[in-house]
Amino acid sequence: MIPLRTNWSAFAAIDNYRPHFFFKREWQWHVFMMPLLFPIANYYFIGLPYFTNLSFFLVGTALAFGLYWVSVFLLTLAIRWVIRHYPGMQQTIPRTIVMLLAVGTITIVLSIFYVWIYSLVPITGVTFNWSIVRPIWVTGLLFAAFLCIALGLIYSYAQWKLELQEDEQLQRQALQHQYDTLKGQLNPHFLFNALNSLSVLIGEEPKQAEEFVDKMARVYRYMLQSGRSTDRLRDGRSSIEQSELVTLQAELEFIHLYADLLQVRYNNCLRIERPAEVSNVHLNCHLLPLSLLTLVDNAVKHNSMSASKPLVISIEITPNGWLQVTNNRQQKTIRMETIRAGLVSLVAQYDLLSQEAVVVEATDTYFKVSLPLFNQKV
């Protein structure tokens, strides 16, 4: 026995014949409008014989079918062109105006074309004159206005949903960034190494040990404060609350303290070169907190170092407002981790925050990451 299909629906059956040019809902709308529009159009052109005479019915339906899909195709192209050139939520008004003008112009031209095509078929009894065209103009323009308003609302709703999804993605990336930062920088290994260095200093250099404790407290305070932030969307783009972004000056002051802690642990095996002089314009630029920490620790984690072959990390600010962190590549022979989770999370954060992507360059001799700086809080 052949099993009965219990999940059949008219929408599913119609969708089986959908050309790739049309979206699913577009195709369903156009197909279900045919039984409504064809009788109305042919009643206007042909009259009652369309419903009582088979020849009139077949000819009228064939003409309406061809003209309908020509119109649908042209209007769809025009609407998509307008949306492609005015995609943003803030462009809703100009997008609607341009869409009305484009669809209205096409509708007027198509109205003349409809009457001309019907007049070429003798059985319809239609003769081309402007008295027939004008009512079609009025009806077509009203339909065009309704279509543009409906499509505008649908598109705005779709954009709103997309922005909500981007907002959720931004929140996930922010939480992941915070988690990676806490896991990678506040883990027991880091604390153990810092305390081990401190225990050595207490016995040998009490004064330096006191300074070490002060710097360590300031480093942890900055880390914990930077971990508390909230996200939001604004003006159709992903952005971060002002409390989350920090100035470059704050990041450089923090990394100065952090570098001193690392220097105590690694001594001559590690050298962190910081910019000697940075202009006030760049110092007041903004970036994600702990960006420098992520890049410095990424270099330390994935490279070997020794007194004879020190790991050199260079921090630079380019004239065009980019932060560059470069290190010589001395990859560890045995790698415990193969994924740069902190760097991946940082890059994802900047991808959502800025239109300028993070640039990562890797060669056999060096590894460089370039981050865009923001002139003002976005």
Side-chain angles (χ1 to χ4, degrees), residues 104-118:
T105 301
I106 294 175
T107 300
I108 291 174
V109 174
L110 287 175
S111 300
I112 300 172
F113 182 68
Y114 295 161
V115 177
W116 179 69
I117 290 295
Y118 267 84

Side-chain angles (χ1 to χ4, degrees), residues 48-67:
L48 286 176
Y50 174 75
F51 301 97
T52 58
N53 188 295
L54 181 60
S55 298
F56 282 92
F57 177 81
L58 292 176
V59 172
T61 301
L63 288 172
F65 182 87
L67 294 173

Side-chain angles (χ1 to χ4, degrees), residues 333-352:
T333 305
I334 300 176
R335 298 184 60 187
M336 300 302 293
E337 297 182 44
T338 57
I339 300 177
R340 301 173 184 264
L343 178 59
V344 170
S345 177
L346 183 66
V347 171
Q349 280 280 87
Y350 273 93
D351 283 344
L352 291 173

Side-chain angles (χ1 to χ4, degrees), residues 106-134:
I106 294 175
T107 300
I108 291 174
V109 174
L110 287 175
S111 300
I112 300 172
F113 182 68
Y114 295 161
V115 177
W116 179 69
I117 290 295
Y118 267 84
S119 67
L120 295 180
V121 182
I123 193 174
T124 63
V126 176
T127 56
F128 185 88
N129 62 76
W130 294 107
S131 61
I132 298 178
V133 174
R134 291 190 191 97

Side-chain angles (χ1 to χ4, degrees), residues 194 197-198 201-202 205-221 256-262 264:
S197 300
L198 177 61
L201 290 175
I202 290 175
E205 299 285 346
K207 183 66 176 177
Q208 190 176 355
E210 183 178 344
E211 295 177 356
F212 186 91
V213 170
D214 178 65
K215 291 178 180 178
M216 184 175 172
R218 291 162 65 185
V219 164
Y220 270 92
R221 187 182 303 115
H256 179 81
L257 295 172
Y258 188 71
D260 288 347
L261 297 182
L262 292 179
V264 172

Side-chain angles (χ1 to χ4, degrees), residues 18 44 46 67 102 120 178 212 221 251 302 336 360 371:
R18 175 172 60 90
Y44 178 77
I46 300 175
L67 294 173
L120 295 180
Q178 295 169 21
F212 186 91
R221 187 182 303 115
E251 276 287 286
H302 294 279
M336 300 302 293
V360 178
L371 301 178

Side-chain angles (χ1 to χ4, degrees), residues 20 41 158 215 231 266 281 303 311 317 355 361:
H20 295 297
K215 291 178 180 178
D231 308 339
Y266 294 107
V281 174
N303 292 275
L311 175 64
I317 310 300
Q355 294 180 346
E361 302 176 46

Side-chain angles (χ1 to χ4, degrees), residues 294-332:
T294 300
L295 298 180
V296 169
D297 272 358
N298 182 72
V300 172
K301 182 185 298 183
H302 294 279
N303 292 275
S304 61
M305 63 184 83
S306 64
S308 59
K309 291 184 177 181
L311 175 64
V312 181
I313 303 174
S314 175
I315 301 172
E316 298 175 312
I317 310 300
T318 66
N320 60 340
W322 283 69
L323 171 66
Q324 289 185 345
V325 178
T326 310
N327 65 270
N328 54 324
R329 294 194 74 179
Q330 301 176 159
Q331 297 222 244
K332 294 178 179 178

